[in-house]
Amino acid sequence: MAHITTSVEYGIHCLLWLSGSGEVSLSSRDLAELQGISPSFLAKIFPKLEKAGIVAASEGVRGGYRLAKPASEITFLDVVDAIEGEKPLFECQNIRTRCAVFDGDAPDWVCEGICGVHGVMLLAEKAMRDVLAKKSLADVGTAFMRKAPQSFGTDVGTWIDDRVKGRKPGRTPKNSGPPG
Amino acid sequence: MAHITTSVEYGIHCLLWLSGSGEVSLSSRDLAELQGISPSFLAKIFPKLEKAGIVAASEGVRGGYRLAKPASEITFLDVVDAIEGEKPLFECQNIRTRCAVFDGDAPDWVCEGICGVHGVMLLAEKAMRDVLAKKSLADVGTAFMRKAPQSFGTDVGTWIDDRVKGRKPGRTPKNSGPPG
DNA sequence: AAAAACGAGGATAAAACTAGTCCGCGTTAT
DNA sequence: ATAACGCGGACTAGTTTTATCCTCGTTTTT
Ligand code: FES
Ligand code: FES
């Protein structure tokens, strides 16, 4: 896990939407437009979440994604690893073996075990991963919903319904009909 | 602090060499050649360590760097922040404010406080930084020296002496004299 | 059967970042 | 004066991140 990227922010926020929509599948295009992010970019993130067993995909029209397990069983670490591929926080180049006094032939006592510096980095990474592993989507999803007023849920419902009909409320649809 | 880079590995290993060399200044070129890494690249790292008050520089011939304070008072976090500039682990793009149902005008209840997702990332970052803040150079330096045999220290001493004289032991010097 | 809405995946591109090089400047011991 | 030093900027190459587009196969609707 190198740097927690924007892809992870997109992914987790999408999963929170899915956790609020129950058994109904939402397409990646739905989720992208709902959040004002790039549909084509989001479409590259979801296959990773599916391979990790976090979401289940259904193909064809009216298909989309739903959570493959309860939100309480999906941790932040699961999502980060699924999207970023378990890259380490720190990649040791083993410079300790390159000391000039060895002249290209490092003795055994240098190589045994991992470098102390590397060890500290691994400890730091583990501390970070432990925090991420202890937080589930449900933990933050409920907090988010507590802040939202009742009207928000219904607004979202009507937005999705209108979108299915090819119309967006409050703006002029671009492709509402052929010219002439 | 984004991803802990190779620059940090170089920097910390150099500081460990400095912590072992007492009051004697070592130049960045010495340190680079001693460890088999790029002198020009290392030369870009040290000014950062100096501005952070980790090392003290002396200019002119026979100048170089020494630790500005005891190794036990220099933490890994100090070095990482000095070299990488306190970049966050995660940069929130505030996508929560872009929800389509707000139509570009997010209400107050969305913006209040930080996003729950961001909050988890900050917790993870803090856990990592706490580990780095609790480890000093002295902690890993002593462990390293315990592994090394007695001969290593003297070998290093002679290597440095020979280097000052413009000769490297065990190999044919490239510029030992003009041809003819 | 045709069309439309979906996911999967590849090819490509722009921007940002990392690692590394090169050069010129001022400083200082010899 | 010279050579060894630190400082700093310009520069390059390679990789990663973010994003777009296009094709393909699948599935529901018409
Ligand atoms: S050799 Fe890689 S951290 Fe020490
Ligand atoms: S809006 Fe950035 S993490 Fe939620």
Side-chain angles (χ1 to χ4, degrees), chain B residues 129-160:
Chain B
R129 291 174 68 87
D130 283 350
V131 170
L132 294 178
K134 272 175 194 138
K135 290 287 181 177
S136 74
L137 293 183
D139 293 335
V140 309
T142 57
F144 182 75
M145 281 310 168
R146 261 199 302 274
K147 282 170 55 180
Q150 292 250 330
S151 62
F152 184 62
T154 57
D155 283 354
V156 171
T158 58
W159 184 91
I160 291 178

Side-chain angles (χ1 to χ4, degrees), chain A residues 90 92-96 115 117-118, chain B residues 9 13:
Chain A
F90 171 77
C92 173
Q93 308 294 128
N94 258 300
I95 70 171
R96 59 181 176 163
C115 173
V117 177
H118 191 182
Chain B
E9 181 172 1
H13 276 268

